[in-house]
Amino acid sequence: MTTENTRSREEPKVFRTLRDDVTRGDFKRSVKRDYSEMKEFMLDEQRKKRLTKMSPLRRWFYTAWWLFKSLFFKLTPARRILLVVGIIFIIGSKTITFSDEHVRVSSDTNGLGVLCILFVLGLELKDKLIARRELEAGRAVQEALMPERSPSVPGWDLWLFTRSANEVGGDLVDFIRIDEKRVGVVLGDVAGKGLRAALFSAKLQATLRAIASDFNLLTELGAKLNAIFHRDSIAGIFASLVYL
């Protein structure tokens, strides 16, 4: 048992993992998808329109330059400096020699440049992993707020299901037992994706659970819910809601 557990916790092998990545067969499709998503995220609408009017060769150069600028300005000041230093070391490759009477050390600046860029990539990856861990925690909270998967209501068959496109999202599916004779089923969607939509979805769910039992008329409940959501939201965000 101990031997099996130890083996199961072994770190993945670099070359074996790389071999699996190559033999998987979706490399080209994955690169195209990542490239398209990067352009969608990094380039504003004005630049996208300008690209459509350019020749293919010119479009390629402008896309590469604009993506580099967008990436550059999203880095922290220290990481921007490291990136520039790394590029300078690679482009202006020289051999640096340190020596005294007993020791002589030679180093190519190419290696130093690569190390600088790899260090920046490592820091960015660290930030991404931390953000993903927080999103996974947020997803766990969202799942904990979900109602029982198949609520029991006499005379009705209910089946509730939701699956977010990302780690967290603005979808809202809920089931509220108001009293012995009334239950509420909620289907909602907050505009947008990601953490912002998830936070407002949780806010909407908590508000509805808190006030649903105070109103007999749906018109009054809807008006009160809308007033609270409008008061506590930010500009440009809205939610669609079906409450039965």
Side-chain angles (χ1 to χ4, degrees), residues 147-153 156-160 175 177:
E148 53 184 312
R149 289 296 180 178
S150 300
S152 177
V153 181
W156 292 81
D157 290 327
L158 297 179
W159 182 72
L160 304 178
F175 171 79
R177 189 171 298 279

Side-chain angles (χ1 to χ4, degrees), residues 142 164 166 168-172 188-205 229 234 237-239:
Q142 276 196 312
S164 176
N166 300 317
V168 292
D171 297 332
L172 172 58
D189 182 30
V190 178
K193 298 179 180 178
L195 186 58
R196 185 180 74 163
L199 290 173
F200 279 107
S201 176
K203 168 69 176 178
L204 184 60
Q205 180 184 29
F229 189 78
I234 58 178
I237 193 171
F238 66 93

Side-chain angles (χ1 to χ4, degrees), residues 72 75-85 116 119-120 123-124:
F72 179 79
L75 295 173
T76 62
R79 297 176 190 181
R80 282 198 291 265
I81 294 173
L82 284 172
L83 178 62
V84 171
V85 169
C116 287
F119 184 58
V120 173
L123 294 174
E124 291 296 308

Side-chain angles (χ1 to χ4, degrees), residues 7 10-24:
R7 289 177 180 175
E10 286 182 356
E11 294 185 359
K13 304 297 183 181
V14 174
F15 293 106
R16 184 184 302 170
T17 301
L18 185 59
R19 181 199 62 193
D20 294 340
D21 293 339
V22 172
T23 57
R24 187 174 300 168

Side-chain angles (χ1 to χ4, degrees), residues 74-230:
K74 290 182 185 301
L75 295 173
T76 62
R79 297 176 190 181
R80 282 198 291 265
I81 294 173
L82 284 172
L83 178 62
V84 171
V85 169
I87 294 174
I88 292 174
F89 278 163
I90 293 174
I91 294 177
S93 177
K94 292 182 179 180
T95 300
I96 302 175
T97 302
F98 301 93
S99 62
D100 57 20
E101 296 178 357
H102 305 287
V103 179
R104 179 183 178 86
V105 178
S106 296
S107 177
D108 196 313
T109 58
N110 270 332
L112 294 175
V114 171
L115 286 176
C116 287
I117 293 176
L118 286 177
F119 184 58
V120 173
L121 290 176
L123 294 174
E124 291 296 308
L125 179 59
K126 180 262 300 180
D127 291 346
K128 179 181 178 180
L129 293 175
I130 291 176
R132 174 170 291 183
R133 188 181 303 165
E134 292 176 351
L135 288 175
E136 289 175 351
R139 185 180 184 87
V141 172
Q142 276 196 312
E143 291 178 351
L145 293 174
M146 284 283 295
E148 53 184 312
R149 289 296 180 178
S150 300
S152 177
V153 181
W156 292 81
D157 290 327
L158 297 179
W159 182 72
L160 304 178
F161 177 78
T162 180
R163 180 171 59 191
S164 176
N166 300 317
E167 282 83 359
V168 292
D171 297 332
L172 172 58
V173 175
D174 202 7
F175 171 79
I176 306 171
R177 189 171 298 279
I178 301 172
D179 53 39
E180 294 182 358
K181 297 182 179 180
R182 292 189 301 160
V183 297
V185 178
V186 186
L187 300 176
D189 182 30
V190 178
K193 298 179 180 178
L195 186 58
R196 185 180 74 163
L199 290 173
F200 279 107
S201 176
K203 168 69 176 178
L204 184 60
Q205 180 184 29
T207 303
L208 184 56
R209 284 185 175 185
I211 68 174
S213 59
D214 297 336
F215 296 90
N216 291 320
L217 295 178
L218 293 182
T219 53
E220 295 179 356
L221 174 61
K224 183 64 175 179
L225 187 65
N226 185 67
I228 295 174
F229 189 78
H230 181 268

